Amino acid sequence: MTTLQEQYQHLEDTIRAYNPAANFEQIHAAFDFAVSAHEGQFRKDGSPFVTHPLAVAQIVAEELHLDSESIIAALLHDTIEDTAATHADIARLFSPTIADLVEGVSKLTRVQYTSKEEEQMENLRKMLMAMAKDIRVILVKISDRLHNMRTMEYQTPEKQKQKSFETMEIYAPIAHRLGMQKMKWELEDLSLKYLDPVGYREITEVLEEKAAEYEGFMAGVQEQISDRLQEAGVDGIVYGRLKHPYSIYRKMYAQNKRINDVFDLIAFRVIVDTLADCYNVLGIIHDLYHPVLGRFKDYIGTPKPNMYQSLHTTVVGAGGIPFEVQIRTREMHEVAEYGVAAHWKYKQGGQGAGDEKNYEWVRRLLENQEGADAEDFIHSLKVDMFADEVFVFTPLGDVINLPAGATPIDFAYTIHSAVGNHMVAAKVNGRIVQFDYKLKNGDVVEVETSQSAHGPSRDWIKIARSSNARSKIRQWFKRERRDENIVNGRASFEAEVKRCGVSPKELTNEDTLPQVLKKLSYNTLDDLYAAIGYGGVTALKVVGRLREEINQIIRQHQGAAAEQPTEQQPKPAAEPRRAHGEQGIIVEGLSNCLVKFSKCCTPVPGDDIVGFITRGYGVSVHRTDCPNAAPERRRPEEAGRWIKVSWADKTNPFYQTTLEVIAKDRPDLMVDISTVISSTKTQFRGLNARVTPDGSVLVTMNVSVTDAGQLRTVMRRLDQISGVMKVSRPAG
């Protein structure tokens, strides 16, 4: 076990190897400050807490070769969040720039939020704002997350899954968007280890077996390519590797394959000196091996938005074994491995100086999400940063990069908002297509516009894949259809309030209205209605934020009812509602009888229900819309066995019910469904998915919910998932 001083000395040695001009005096002062600030704090494994910032600084230095300010920020990155140190203290002792870096990496722990999603959104928004000013914020943050994932075995299983899911959904895509492939792969593999330990173990075990099996094959291919390069006079480095576990895992689920059915497990890299050599080597590879049609990609001629450049080709070697070859220059390789960190200039007087124009997309992302609610912000962030992209062309040959699954609507708004707003038709490769057509790599897209166009449809917001397009469509509705938005927004708001058992007038009277508007950050009620109408916020979110005020009105109702004279409220012979009931159900005229919920319609609190007296099994409770309980299907001789039932004031904590989702088959569909179930705090009890004859997917889920309100929320959120055509509760 190395001591703290030995770990720090290792850090200094690492920095000195690549940046001897670093400010070692200030770095040491930051180390001393961190040791003092974190004194008495320990990690889950029992080690002093300061070992974590020290390890993060080691990653920043060893893997990213960043400047002195970045290393100091890494050493101090938890001081504002977890100790008494403030932004002003760090600015005074070190520099305002370092204090801003630390503040950018820290979380917003001192603010209360209405939901976990809103807290996550604000943390991300703040981090992205700091990142737009100084890209080093995100480099330190990713290094911080990488060390946390490397030491995740000491956390509880719940924390492991939560952090791994967040890493997979947010930090790995950001690392990809910044071109940091090496870190991205490690983050994905570590996340998979905790999200699906069985799948991860299966893949790693197979890879270990394949490594021994393919060892001779890989050495032979490497020697063949090296010899041919030498004959052609090309100076290059050749090496092979097995693909990393998560890339295989994704391929297995995207293509519905088992591990043994995934053949192209091997990838070779050829690193050369010049651009011309890249294309020379491509010819050599295609001469040596048989290329697979449709598996060649030129990311040199058309670089990815994260600056990645390389030639990719898949070929078939001896014994029919396919493998991928990536060809790039040394500079391209640096960018491919380390992304923006490869461009960071640490030699300019020890000060960082990034090329900020490369990070304009961060500012655009923030602008597109201005005013968005938490759920939409996080969804859009994943889409905008996710690994899958599609490259299409304008009729003039310009390359346009869009997220996978993009439509002509996304293309039009990427060109200009005026093009999208006036679009009347779209052509792909010279043929008219529908607006929901999914664009493919290499498509030539042409948009037809008209000044007399009515403008975008509200359905376009659901069809558009990119946050840029959805934001511009919302802006149009916000600007052009305010009166219509107010009417629609008011109807949605009042309907949601009534579901809570409160009159909208009570919530918007002159006494409560100022408090409501202040809490929601709107100047007038019409502004609130307009925001709901154009899709800037949902009525469900608004009512969720007003839960405290609604509960207060409900308590006033209950208090008023309790104070009324008894003669005005004569007590009925039998109470229609009791505090308790068997399984949360009150059966009219019966007490202490056995109650069970029918499996054909699985009712939950809030559903309209009816009871049926069974022979020997008590009362079976059905939803009133269940076909088995329909009046026309009831037998005359059983008329007396149908009985009135109602929900008690106190019900069970959870009720099981069944949902059916019909969706278009696509990669990550089940991931999106699981995300909705998790984010709505709903519990899975069973899951079955199968492909129907028409190519759709039918997903049947058994879930546990508290009441019909939660179930409606789950169904609404499921219905918003891309590709979902229908969400229903089976009955009968």
Side-chain angles (χ1 to χ4, degrees), residues 137-442:
V137 167
I138 197 64
L139 300 182
V140 175
K141 182 64 184 177
I142 288 175
S143 301
D144 171 38
R145 179 51 62 105
L146 180 58
H147 184 253
N148 281 333
M149 292 304 300
R150 285 175 177 175
T151 55
M152 194 54 66
E153 70 265 26
Y154 299 104
Q155 298 288 350
T156 62
E158 184 182 357
K159 192 85 166 179
Q160 287 172 346
K161 280 190 166 56
Q162 178 198 333
K163 288 295 182 185
S164 297
F165 189 75
E166 187 180 75
T167 300
M168 191 73 86
E169 291 282 286
I170 304 296
Y171 291 100
I174 289 178
H176 167 79
R177 193 65 177 76
L178 295 173
M180 303 163 69
Q181 299 305 314
K182 193 174 178 183
M183 283 191 166
K184 174 210 170 203
W185 289 339
E186 188 174 354
L187 287 170
E188 287 174 340
D189 289 347
L190 290 169
S191 300
L192 179 62
K193 181 179 177 181
Y194 298 105
L195 291 173
D196 187 354
V198 175
Y200 176 81
R201 188 165 58 249
E202 179 188 352
I203 291 171
T204 51
E205 286 174 356
V206 170
L207 286 179
E208 285 173 11
E209 292 173 15
K210 296 288 186 185
E213 180 185 330
Y214 286 159
E215 191 175 346
F217 173 79
M218 291 169 70
V221 170
Q222 187 171 334
E223 187 178 350
Q224 271 184 315
I225 297 174
S226 298
D227 289 346
R228 285 295 296 271
L229 293 185
Q230 199 171 357
E231 288 174 22
V234 176
D235 184 21
I237 301 167
V238 183
Y239 63 94
R241 61 175 178 84
L242 288 173
K243 291 189 174 179
H244 69 112
Y246 182 68
S247 68
I248 297 168
Y249 185 86
R250 273 194 74 183
K251 185 169 289 190
M252 285 168 60
Y253 280 85
Q255 300 175 8
N256 197 23
K257 292 181 175 180
R258 292 173 301 149
I259 180 69
N260 291 325
D261 297 329
V262 179
F263 295 113
D264 51 338
L265 300 175
I266 307 169
F268 286 87
R269 286 202 185 122
V270 183
I271 315 295
V272 294
D273 292 330
T274 68
L275 184 63
D277 285 341
C278 291
Y279 290 97
N280 287 340
V281 171
L282 178 66
I284 291 170
I285 298 297
H286 284 179
D287 185 44
L288 268 173
Y289 308 104
H290 183 68
V292 178
L293 289 174
R295 295 300 300 272
F296 167 66
K297 293 174 185 174
D298 185 351
Y299 292 120
I300 293 178
T302 308
K304 289 188 177 185
N306 60 16
M307 302 175 287
Y308 177 88
Q309 288 183 288
S310 190
L311 297 176
H312 289 199
T313 184
T314 300
V315 296
V316 179
I321 299 174
F323 57 91
E324 186 180 58
V325 181
Q326 299 170 357
I327 308 161
R328 57 179 78 138
T329 66
R330 285 176 170 79
E331 184 182 351
M332 292 173 192
H333 182 63
E334 283 290 307
V335 174
E337 292 287 290
Y338 304 108
V340 295
H343 286 292
W344 193 255
K345 310 293 190 295
Y346 56 80
K347 291 182 179 177
Q348 298 178 8
Q351 302 300 312
D355 187 2
E356 296 303 322
K357 76 177 190 303
N358 289 320
Y359 322 125
E360 191 64 35
W361 60 270
V362 182
R363 294 188 187 88
R364 286 200 304 272
L365 175 66
L366 291 168
E367 288 165 6
N368 289 340
Q369 296 312 312
E370 193 173 351
D373 63 12
E375 181 185 324
D376 195 49
F377 178 85
I378 292 168
H379 172 75
S380 298
L381 183 76
K382 294 168 190 171
V383 170
D384 284 357
M385 292 196 179
F386 216 61
D388 297 329
E389 296 145 350
V390 61
F391 297 92
V392 298
F393 296 92
T394 67
L396 297 176
D398 296 325
V399 179
I400 303 294
N401 170 247
L402 297 167
T407 65
I409 295 171
D410 297 289
F411 176 87
Y413 280 100
T414 300
I415 300 299
H416 196 278
S417 56
V419 175
N421 292 338
H422 293 95
M423 180 170 68
V424 292
K427 288 182 179 178
V428 174
N429 303 325
R431 296 175 61 186
I432 293 282
V433 296
Q434 293 183 329
F435 287 166
D436 62 354
Y437 174 85
K438 298 288 190 295
L439 298 175
K440 302 178 185 65
N441 276 321

Side-chain angles (χ1 to χ4, degrees), residues 15 44 69 89 159 168 175 220 266 291 313 382 485 500 530 625 661 704 711:
I15 300 166
K44 295 286 186 183
E69 288 179 334
D89 294 336
K159 192 85 166 179
M168 191 73 86
I266 307 169
T313 184
K382 294 168 190 171
N485 292 336
C500 299
D625 62 347
V661 176
S704 289
L711 189 60

Side-chain angles (χ1 to χ4, degrees), residues 19 40 85 141 172 179 240 373 379 385 395 426 499 538 576 592 596 620-621 647 707:
N19 185 14
K141 182 64 184 177
D373 63 12
H379 172 75
M385 292 196 179
R499 281 197 193 99
T538 64
N592 298 324
K596 68 171 185 173
S620 175
V621 179
W647 295 102
D707 55 29

